[in-house]
Amino acid sequence: MSRNARRVFGGVTLVLLAITAVLALWVSPADKEQGDAMRLLYLHVPTAWLAYLAFFVTALASALWLWPRTRSTTWDLLAGASAEVGVLFTGLMLMLGSLWGRPIWGTWWEWDARLTTTAVLFFLYLGYLALRRTADTSEQRGKRCAIAALIAFADVPIVHFSVNWWQTLHQTGTVFNPKLDVQIHGTMAVTLLLSVLSFTMLYVCLTLSRLRLAELEEGREQRELELAIAERIAAEHPEPAVTV
Amino acid sequence: MDHNWGYVAAGYGITTGALLVYGGWLWNRLRRAQQSATDGD
Amino acid sequence: MSILREARLVAAKDLRIERRSRVALQQIVPFGVIVLVLFAFAIDPDRGLLPRLAPGLFWAALLLASILAVNRSFAVEEANGARDGLRLSGLDGAAIFLGKAAAIAAELALLELVLGVGVIVLYDVTPRNALVLFLTAVAATIALAATGTVYGIVAAGLRVRETLVPLLVLPAVTPVMLGATRAFESALGGVPSEAWPWVQLLGACAVLSVIVGVLAFGPLLEES
């Protein structure tokens, strides 16, 4: 994207986010059953969707890096950028879900399959980010991180499956009673749709910016390394070395 | 019906705060990286 | 040389190191037992809770100790460029993986025996349904050892390996911890037949983690 296109896209995203906020907080009505706590869902739903989208992008980019024909540092950096934004959204989603659950379910946390899987997901990718930060060279980082990302992604369904099973075998009275099924229509539906759209655009903005930053920093490191090598060679050979 | 505006305020506040902090951090780092990239060339 | 023979060589090497250094016997096993004792302090032993919680505590203690075993297994490859030696040995990556995982599994099996006795003595648990317990332990041990070995090589050579390995391994083995705990619970106090789905889940985890390790270990070793 060119500089101007980026600016326009970013500007539109901000405007849409502002409209979403107005719709979500003032225009849309309070839910009959849940009251105003329902407004938290306008943030919870898009963050949840983006968390999963971000980790899917990470897995896809990792696979593309591993595939020899499409190998490029950009894929590796994109995987990292997307995972970082994904962890941010996962954290927000857990926080929002907890804030919503407290008044509606009467508890901050429920050991429900989706919640538990998401919490495990959060830690899986936190570990992935820690791994990314510690690798020394970009070649060293690429393969380890790509494989770790794919394993983490493949682990998610297994975790979900096992937690789900645990919860159905040990049924302790479900918290989802049918009364809480939100009747979505009219303003609420529009707000939710707009919210998902604007947050998806925000995700694109953040991920692309993070990718650009990673690329710039990678380039700077490369330049500094070359500079340091040149200085070292110059120091060891006072005579100007013959360039080969 | 409970209003629970406190929870809503906390949720929207923390979300906005976290996004602003992350966005600001990204913005700053990006600007600095861009500057040093043009300086280096 | 077949892969299995190569794997046996690697496993024998790791176990020989452990036999001579006695790190597993004198540090990792006591660590596991101390964790069991700490749990008893955390949960008032007089209220009869310990026997009921014993399956979960047993596996939690084992999980924590298994992190030490994984770290140890890759610490011995760190000194004197041993990992380069391993890479240059011409052994198949899959064989090295199987060997190292088998050595860790052997150490975990020893630990499980000790912790099992510890749980019986300290937590007042009566062992029942030996077959279920045995199969659960076998599948869970394989899954833990294989997953640990994969993440061990992912983090190998990094300066923060010791602290990174637990962060990577613990979330990844959630299904194993869940499955093994539920299977033990069913075998010891609940309905034994309820354990079988969990044993199957553990078996699937074990098979999957071994497949991942066999495929990924070689390329990761090259890079480390």
Side-chain angles (χ1 to χ4, degrees):
Chain A
M1 259 200 274
S2 76
R3 199 184 165 84
N4 277 331
R6 275 206 310 272
R7 284 196 169 160
V8 170
F9 191 79
V12 172
T13 307
L14 284 181
V15 170
L16 282 182
L17 280 173
I19 298 175
T20 307
V22 172
L23 279 180
L25 287 174
W26 284 283
V27 178
S28 78
D31 185 72
K32 266 184 245 126
E33 300 290 344
Q34 302 184 16
D36 288 302
M38 194 265 175
R39 298 181 196 280
L40 285 165
L41 296 184
Y42 295 133
L43 294 185
H44 182 66
V45 172
T47 44
W49 141 248
L50 287 175
Y52 282 93
L53 178 74
F55 296 142
F56 175 72
V57 169
T58 297
L60 191 68
S62 301
L64 285 170
W65 188 92
L66 279 176
W67 187 253
R69 264 191 241 163
T70 48
R71 177 162 304 182
S72 133
T73 320
T74 309
W75 291 128
D76 175 44
L77 297 178
L78 174 64
S82 188
E84 194 172 293
V85 180
V87 164
L88 174 72
F89 279 122
T90 314
L92 288 176
M93 160 199 185
L94 289 171
M95 181 272 297
L96 289 163
S98 202
L99 281 173
W100 177 82
R102 180 66 198 162
I104 303 300
W105 291 346
T107 159
W108 292 106
W109 186 263
E110 193 61 41
W111 289 100
D112 148 75
R114 264 188 302 178
L115 262 70
T116 312
T117 308
T118 311
V120 174
L121 192 73
F122 182 68
F123 288 112
L124 273 173
Y125 281 92
L126 221 51
Y128 170 76
L129 287 182
L131 175 67
R132 287 196 70 85
R133 220 167 293 125
T134 52
D136 290 328
T137 63
S138 75
E139 294 82 45
Q140 195 188 35
R141 189 186 57 207
K143 193 174 281 180
R144 287 169 197 249
C145 293
I147 291 177
L150 285 182
I151 297 176
F153 195 68
D155 204 32
V156 174
I158 306 174
V159 171
H160 184 80
F161 179 71
S162 60
V163 178
N164 202 10
W165 218 0
W166 167 43
Q167 281 311 328
T168 40
L169 285 185
H170 290 248
Q171 193 66 265
T172 50
T174 175
V175 284
F176 292 104
N177 63 55
K179 188 181 77 169
L180 291 183
D181 270 347
V182 186
Q183 292 289 315
I184 286 194
H185 51 77
T187 332
M188 289 179 171
V190 172
T191 309
L192 194 58
L193 268 178
L194 187 70
S195 178
V196 168
L197 176 73
S198 55
F199 267 83
T200 309
M201 285 170 74
L202 179 67
Y203 161 76
V204 173
C205 282
L206 288 176
T207 308
L208 287 182
S209 305
R210 187 68 187 84
L211 174 63
R212 246 180 87 68
L213 175 63
E215 278 177 333
L216 283 170
E217 287 185 338
E218 188 99 336
R220 188 178 61 198
E221 261 168 39
Q222 197 61 40
R223 271 201 312 279
E224 280 171 358
L225 189 69
E226 278 161 16
L227 204 69
I229 292 172
E231 274 171 8
R232 185 71 187 270
I233 291 174
E236 281 184 13
H237 305 274
E239 306 294 318
V242 182
T243 42
V244 188
Chain B
M1 183 177 78
D2 295 324
H3 277 290
N4 302 310
W5 274 108
Y7 293 102
V8 177
Y12 277 72
I14 295 173
T15 306
T16 315
L19 289 176
L20 280 180
V21 167
Y22 184 70
W25 171 83
L26 203 56
W27 182 269
N28 266 330
R29 283 274 297 267
L30 202 53
R31 224 183 34 187
R32 226 176 304 157
Q34 261 161 347
Q35 248 162 24
S36 82
T38 42
D39 288 350
D41 291 339
Chain C
M1 236 185 338
S2 77
I3 283 191
L4 285 183
R5 256 195 71 201
E6 290 181 10
R8 226 175 54 203
L9 273 178
V10 176
K13 166 195 83 87
D14 274 13
L15 290 175
R16 201 176 312 127
I17 293 174
E18 286 317 310
R19 207 184 59 216
R20 288 184 188 155
S21 68
R22 298 181 197 276
V23 167
L25 208 61
Q26 294 183 348
Q27 292 175 23
I28 298 178
V29 170
F31 172 79
V33 178
I34 288 175
V35 172
L36 279 191
V37 174
L38 281 182
F39 282 150
F41 295 157
I43 301 156
D44 195 347
D46 292 335
R47 270 188 268 155
L49 277 173
L50 276 177
R52 269 194 291 150
L53 297 178
L57 300 180
F58 172 88
W59 284 106
L62 189 85
L63 212 58
L64 294 176
S66 78
I67 299 292
L68 295 189
V70 170
N71 265 330
R72 169 70 186 154
S73 169
F74 285 88
V76 298
E77 307 293 355
E78 213 73 6
N80 305 325
R83 211 172 52 249
D84 292 328
L86 212 53
R87 197 158 29 191
L88 295 172
S89 64
L91 294 172
D92 196 316
I96 301 176
F97 164 76
L98 290 173
K100 289 198 84 71
I104 293 177
E107 290 168 36
L108 290 183
L110 173 73
L111 187 61
E112 278 161 27
L113 280 180
V114 174
L115 290 186
V117 173
V119 164
I120 293 170
V121 173
L122 298 173
Y123 293 0
D124 190 22
V125 169
T126 324
R128 249 171 297 198
N129 301 303
L131 182 64
V132 177
L133 295 182
F134 177 73
L135 289 177
T136 305
V138 168
T141 307
I142 294 174
L144 284 180
T147 313
T149 311
V150 171
Y151 282 116
I153 192 68
V154 163
L158 301 178
R159 272 160 296 171
V160 291
R161 180 177 48 79
E162 287 94 341
T163 41
L164 188 58
V165 163
L167 182 59
L168 292 173
V169 171
L170 292 179
V173 295
T174 317
V176 179
M177 172 76 196
L178 254 180
T181 306
R182 298 310 134 195
F184 264 36
E185 267 179 4
S186 312
L188 291 174
V191 188
S193 62
E194 274 181 9
W196 291 117
W198 292 115
V199 174
Q200 283 166 13
L201 174 80
L202 288 170
C205 285
V207 171
L208 278 176
S209 52
V210 169
I211 290 176
V212 167
V214 164
L215 292 176
F217 196 89
L220 283 169
L221 181 66
E222 264 169 50
E223 211 63 50
S224 64

